Amino acid sequence: MVKKNDAPTEIETITLTMSRPVAEAVQAACEWYLRLHMGQFWDVADDLCMAKFYSDAKHNEFKTKEQRDNAFTVSIHRRNDMQDGLDNLYRRYVLPAPISDLMEIPYRAEQVWLVIRHALAWHDKPEGDWMNVEFDKPLNRSDQPQPTIKLTEVQDNTKPACDG
């Protein structure tokens, strides 16, 4: 009697459907993941440390210009300290490894980030923009085929049906 193999079968592709806001979150997460592995903390620190200031500004929480300026200055100082601290920690604790080992998964994440960014740029501005890198075809540095993306626009259901 031959024992049945209980191992799951290999998956060739995965199709995932998401809303634009979720795609934008995935795009940002993949970019952050890549940048963290490369020791690029500037944008991460900026996003984290400036979030409260931007939220307060958006919701008109500041009573005076002086209060707004003070909150901005505090946020900038915290951001700069975090950037410097993360840079120092990275240099101290992250040991160099061969790119082929270190960057295999981050380069796969980069593909997701770039494909989403490229598709949304062309959707939002179909005439293109030769001055903007988002319109350049994504390069593939990973060991996997470049992901494909399909944008489905919202259907306008307000038009009356044709009674033929």
Side-chain angles (χ1 to χ4, degrees):
M1 182 169 176
V2 177
K3 183 177 182 207
K4 181 181 171 188
N5 184 353
D6 290 332
T9 59
E10 188 69 27
I11 295 175
E12 181 66 27
T13 62
I14 295 175
T15 302
L16 176 67
T17 302
M18 62 186 84
S19 66
R20 181 176 182 145
V22 172
E24 290 169 345
V26 169
Q27 174 187 343
C30 289
E31 180 182 6
W32 277 27
Y33 183 74
L34 172 70
R35 292 188 183 282
L36 289 173
H37 276 271
M38 295 182 348
Q40 296 180 359
F41 305 109
W42 293 89
D43 289 341
V44 173
D46 190 71
D47 283 356
L48 294 173
C49 294
M50 298 302 293
K52 170 90 167 92
F53 172 79
Y54 292 139
S55 175
D56 287 350
K58 177 181 175 183
H59 298 289
N60 296 316
E61 296 292 330
F62 302 114
K63 306 286 188 245
T64 65
K65 182 183 181 314
E66 180 182 14
Q67 187 183 37
R68 179 187 172 93
D69 291 348
N70 183 54
F72 180 77
T73 300
V74 168
S75 297
I76 289 293
H77 285 299
R78 289 179 177 176
R79 179 205 66 189
N80 292 348
D81 287 348
M82 185 173 184
Q83 288 170 338
D84 291 342
L86 289 170
D87 283 341
N88 290 334
L89 289 168
Y90 185 85
R91 283 194 302 275
R92 181 172 181 168
Y93 293 110
V94 177
L95 300 174
I99 295 260
S100 59
D101 295 335
L102 180 68
M103 297 303 289
E104 182 179 63
I105 295 172
Y107 281 162
R108 292 174 187 168
E110 179 185 40
Q111 290 314 297
V112 176
W113 161 44
L114 294 177
V115 166
I116 294 171
R117 182 180 77 163
H118 181 256
L120 293 178
W122 279 104
H123 173 269
D124 293 348
K125 196 172 181 183
E127 68 277 11
D129 182 354
W130 67 275
M131 295 282 293
N132 191 329
V133 71
E134 292 178 2
F135 290 87
D136 293 343
K137 186 175 187 302
L139 298 175
N140 189 348
R141 296 193 288 177
S142 86
D143 62 336
Q144 297 296 305
Q146 195 163 54
T148 59
I149 186 168
K150 175 186 173 194
L151 303 180
T152 305
E153 294 183 350
V154 174
Q155 300 300 310
D156 183 6
N157 294 327
T158 61
K159 296 178 185 174
C162 181
D163 290 336

